[in-house]
Amino acid sequence: MATVAVTDDTFEADVLKSDKPVLVDFWAIWCGPCKQIGPALEQISDELSGSLTVAKVDIDDSPMTPTKMGVRGVPTLMLFKGGEVVAMKAGAMPKSKIVEWLAEQGVS
């Protein structure tokens, strides 16, 4: 399963009302570090498709959601469970660190 593009209009249904954890990547097309972690997030989406949804919110196309969520920079990763943010990381990191961080949150 590939990453899911989420917008201001679909955020509630796709993320907050999801029945499984959702890793949301707040990103922008002009952001170099966002492009760096993109392939890793695609791989994680495939590898953990049974237990995790990976969603991407383009902050330029959907500015209301990142503002509401307090996103100050990109990339910002937020893990949602049951409609709540349970963990957050800002900045690019290698795939291994993202997987390790998710495991610490009980997603593997």
Side-chain angles (χ1 to χ4, degrees):
M1 179 181 171
T3 58
V4 179
V6 175
T7 66
D8 285 338
D9 295 333
T10 63
F11 188 82
E12 183 175 351
D14 291 345
V15 177
L16 301 181
K17 294 188 174 172
S18 176
D19 57 355
K20 62 183 176 181
V22 183
L23 176 62
V24 180
D25 173 26
F26 292 94
W27 72 287
I29 194 81
W30 45 261
C31 166
C34 298
K35 292 177 185 168
Q36 284 179 318
I37 66 169
L41 293 173
E42 291 289 341
Q43 291 170 2
I44 290 167
S45 178
D46 290 340
E47 292 165 11
L48 300 179
S49 62
S51 57
L52 177 75
T53 299
V54 179
K56 296 176 78 72
V57 176
D58 183 326
I59 65 162
D60 291 328
D61 291 345
S62 295
M64 288 168 43
T65 301
T67 300
K68 194 163 102 179
M69 300 309 303
V71 174
R72 292 199 176 96
V74 289
T76 293
L77 300 176
M78 288 187 185
L79 181 63
F80 288 80
K81 288 183 183 177
E84 300 289 325
V85 178
V86 295
M88 183 178 96
K89 288 269 187 190
M93 62 190 109
K95 178 186 172 192
S96 61
K97 290 289 184 194
I98 298 171
V99 170
E100 185 179 294
W101 173 65
L102 289 171
E104 289 169 4
Q105 308 306 319
V107 179
S108 55

